[in-house]
Amino acid sequence: MAASRLELNLVRLLCRCEAMAAERRDPEEWRLDKYVGALEDMLQALRTQASRPAAEVLQEYARKVDFLRGLLQAEKLASSSEKALANQFLAPGRVPTTARERVPATRTVHLQTRARYAGEMRQELLGTDSAGERELEVRKRRPAAEKHSAAELDLALQRQQQLQEKLAEEMLGLARSLKTNTLAAQSVIKKDNQTLSHSLKMADQNLEKLKTESERLEQHAQKSVNWLLWAMLIVVCFIFISMILFIRIVPKLK
């Protein structure tokens, strides 16, 4: 089914928003926020259309729009650690928006923002800036502060690693639960198939028995009709011969 005009406009605006999200923007930049709001309105209108796309396509559009909205909300947080933590919970798109993309643009943006927030958090914890000379000077002047900042960085990285391990364990638990449910469903389906096969087999056997009995009943009915026919013929012949004899023997009335 061909895409509607509304869907084409949504895809164009979504590509534009993904390109803007991949760039480093000024904090006062307001266009992306407005564009994402327009995407949300267009997605809501697309869901109510009679010629709307498949549910999987709508779900992918919603996933990308939610990612962009979450990215904007994460950028408004105060500290880099909060931004990095919020970025961990964002879910980028799974399918490229256009055929020219090999990797979904939202996934690339997700990796870029994760790296940027990690760098900002490292700078906040270490008290450094982008200039290498100034970083060297700070290290020379404040070795104790550097050690303390490095310890804080290690602690933050350890927390992130623990959070990732926790999420991995939860995903593993969900996968195990899904596997268990799938095996149980397969067992139930297998039993149902066996029961159905047995029922079909019994039905075939009953049909064969019914056919055999019907043939026997038909043969028996034909035999009964033949005997009855011969008996009636014999009775008619006997009556006919008796009448002839009665006429011959009994004299006519004068």
Side-chain angles (χ1 to χ4, degrees):
M1 184 175 63
S4 62
R5 184 174 181 181
L6 179 60
E7 184 179 359
L8 293 176
N9 293 334
L10 186 144
V11 171
R12 294 192 186 100
L13 185 57
L14 181 59
C15 293
R16 176 60 179 164
C17 290
E18 290 174 348
M20 292 179 65
E23 302 172 353
R24 294 188 67 89
R25 301 181 307 280
D26 188 84
E28 302 298 330
E29 177 65 42
W30 54 269
R31 290 181 300 171
L32 183 58
D33 193 2
K34 297 295 183 182
Y35 289 167
V36 173
L39 280 175
E40 293 173 344
D41 295 338
M42 295 170 69
L43 181 61
Q44 186 64 28
L46 186 63
R47 286 173 174 170
T48 59
Q49 271 193 344
S51 59
R52 59 181 177 272
E56 294 80 4
V57 179
L58 286 174
Q59 186 177 3
E60 183 65 20
Y61 289 156
R63 186 183 182 91
K64 294 179 180 179
V65 173
D66 292 340
F67 170 79
L68 293 173
R69 175 58 66 189
L71 188 66
L72 291 174
Q73 293 176 353
E75 290 179 351
K76 297 177 182 179
L77 297 176
S79 63
S80 298
S81 59
E82 293 178 350
K83 294 179 182 180
L85 183 61
N87 185 266
Q88 292 288 335
F89 292 98
L90 295 180
R94 300 174 180 174
V95 181
T97 305
T98 61
R100 293 177 298 178
E101 298 177 1
R102 293 185 178 180
V103 179
T106 50
R107 184 174 299 177
T108 304
V109 173
H110 191 216
L111 295 175
Q112 291 176 351
T113 52
R114 179 185 297 178
R116 184 168 70 248
Y117 292 151
E120 292 177 359
M121 183 173 61
R122 187 179 298 106
Q123 291 178 1
E124 289 182 358
L125 294 175
L126 293 175
T128 61
D129 53 12
S130 59
E133 295 179 356
R134 185 175 179 182
E135 180 180 355
L136 182 59
E137 182 180 358
V138 171
R139 288 185 178 181
K140 290 181 179 180
R141 291 182 179 179
R142 295 187 298 175
E146 179 185 358
K147 293 180 180 179
H148 182 66
S149 300
E152 291 182 354
L153 176 60
D154 293 338
L155 182 60
L157 294 177
Q158 185 178 2
R159 289 178 179 176
Q160 288 188 0
Q161 185 177 1
Q162 291 176 354
L163 179 61
Q164 292 178 355
E165 291 177 355
K166 183 178 180 181
L167 292 175
E169 290 178 358
E170 291 180 356
M171 293 179 64
L172 183 60
L174 292 175
R176 290 175 178 173
S177 178
L178 180 61
K179 182 179 179 180
T180 303
N181 294 334
T182 303
L183 292 176
Q186 289 179 354
S187 177
V188 172
I189 293 173
K190 185 177 180 180
K191 291 180 180 179
D192 292 342
N193 290 334
Q194 292 177 353
T195 304
L196 181 60
S197 300
H198 181 69
S199 299
L200 292 175
K201 185 177 180 180
M202 293 296 296
D204 293 337
Q205 292 179 357
N206 293 333
L207 182 61
E208 292 294 333
K209 291 181 179 179
L210 181 61
K211 185 177 180 181
T212 303
E213 294 297 331
S214 299
E215 292 176 354
R216 290 178 59 187
L217 181 60
E218 184 178 358
Q219 294 176 0
H220 182 70
Q222 290 177 356
K223 290 179 180 179
S224 300
V225 171
N226 291 334
W227 282 106
L228 181 62
L229 181 61
W230 282 107
M232 291 180 64
L233 288 175
I234 293 172
V235 170
V236 170
C237 292
F238 177 76
I239 294 174
F240 180 74
I241 295 172
S242 300
M243 290 296 297
I244 292 176
L245 294 175
F246 180 76
I247 293 171
R248 292 288 185 181
I249 295 173
V250 177
K252 295 181 179 179
L253 296 178
K254 295 181 180 181

